Amino acid sequence: MNIIAKDKHEVFIFLVFLAAFLIRIVYVFQVLEFPLTEYSVRSQTFDQYGFDNNALFISQGNWLGDGEVFGKEPLYSYFLALIYRIFGYSHFIVYIIQALLTSLGVILIFKITSHLFNRSVGYIASIILAFYSISIFYDALLLRASLVTFLNILLCYFLIKAYKDNSRLLYFISGVVLGISMLTRHNMLYPFIAAFILLLPPCRAGLNLPYRVGSKNIKNVLIFTLGGLLVLLPVIARNYIVSGYKNIGISKEVNAFWVGNTHVSSGVDVDWTSQYHDLAQRSEGDARKMAYLFVNEIKKHPLEYLKLYGRKTWMFFNGYEAPSNTNYYLYREEFKTILRVPLFNFQLICTFGVLGLLLSLFGQKRPHIAYIFLVVLSISVILFHIQSRFRLPAVPFFIIFCSYAIYFIFDKIKKKAFMKSAVTIALLLFFYISIKPDLTYAGFRAKENKIRPNDRANLAVAYVDSYSKNPQNLKRALRQCDLAIKDARRFHIAYRIKGYIYFLKRKFSDSIYEYKKAIIYKNSDPYLYNELAGVYYEQHSFDKAYVYIKRALHFLPGNRVFEDNLKLMSRKI
């Protein structure tokens, strides 16, 4: 009977894994039909371009990099490079592998949650992760969010397995996985996991934390640390050497800290303010200098930083999926994919997750390892800035507690504890409504749409880029520009794109009108004048073309392209 029951459990979790993988495969095929998916890899506007470009460089045999300190944590670019080297240059294969890793993460989250609570809670957790909309979305993007999320789940699984089996080899492997995770994106897990291992009891009675330290625990911490250093030290040494023995670290990306940590930043949007540029320049990619400057900034602007961190904490727990340069809401609205199907979202997961965490504090078996991952990964995001893709690696640990809360409620209903169930559900509804997407960032700005003008402009350019394959894409691009202007009348980029679209259509009068509108709102942009000069040139209005190319050179003297255009137009006058 036990064997039959075990077989049923294995079949069920395999079916959940299969469903997770298939839904992601379907989504990959769907999004590859839309121009923005591949355009985001070709355009320097997007982070995808940087990862792809670095991966291509590495895959051509440059496995030690370009002789400079890594600009970002390097592992994701190497992950892509390895795929390109084995399978050829294919983003489709990357998305399939990322989908497979997340689907394996579904099995691992089942095993983790089953150990921390029980098998029923594990089933719930696996189903939620399998059908979590944001996870599906990022699996089909050339970004590291998917890989980091899987690595952190894998790390948690190995730590639990190492403890259960009392295996030093698994502690070593856990350290290796943590090192790999840190090479994909910085995190602060090490000291907390080391403390956790140090305080573990030598028995197998569960994952409660008594305050005792044994010699085995110390050895396990050292072995775990050795595993991490084995991965990290070669990269640190490489960066130290190529920097002329100045830079000690994984990458220079510590400067990105200031995006969400100047006293004027929103803490959510990517704010390239003058304060950011000043502090990033003074930090010089050095974590120690950055920390020193940050403390000084807090001393200068204590009230602003108090508000900033209150705002970031609120937005972290909020249901809004804050975009960077790839917007989840844009994909949902514009493209007919499975994202339009009601799937699990963070607002729901967070609501039940917070309740589950509180309930677990009063349980007999407290999942301390899950507390560590959830709290530390959450704080890591809050310390930097709140974006959907940065929050994703913490979400599986919210799912663990979310699943426990769901199990708890159904268990109380089953036991006919209707009053407790009703009160719990009422509190859940209140919290769920409270954390609905806040588009004001806790009052920091006026309410805006989930899809920003820049998102629509990016999609418009992607449509223009692919119009030769489908002429209807120009019409779609114009629609995106009009929607962007509707939300932001002074958004010059939308007028500029419209000007270019009308130029492609050979509607020169309309093109000139749109370019002049763009210049009204951005009259110091030399490229606008250059493009307008090009329209006049094609219209055979050479005198006007000459005037505008001269203005372009006024704002950007010495530009070779502008100078060549000026010579060309001079000959026509």
Side-chain angles (χ1 to χ4, degrees), residues 189-207:
L189 284 168
Y190 171 74
F192 299 94
I193 293 175
F196 171 75
I197 297 170
L198 199 63
L199 296 172
L200 276 172
C203 63
R204 300 185 185 182
L207 291 181

Side-chain angles (χ1 to χ4, degrees), residues 341-360:
V341 176
L343 298 166
F344 292 103
N345 58 52
F346 184 74
Q347 187 177 354
L348 183 71
I349 291 168
C350 182
T351 300
F352 281 90
V354 170
L355 174 65
L357 188 149
L358 294 174
L359 290 172
S360 71

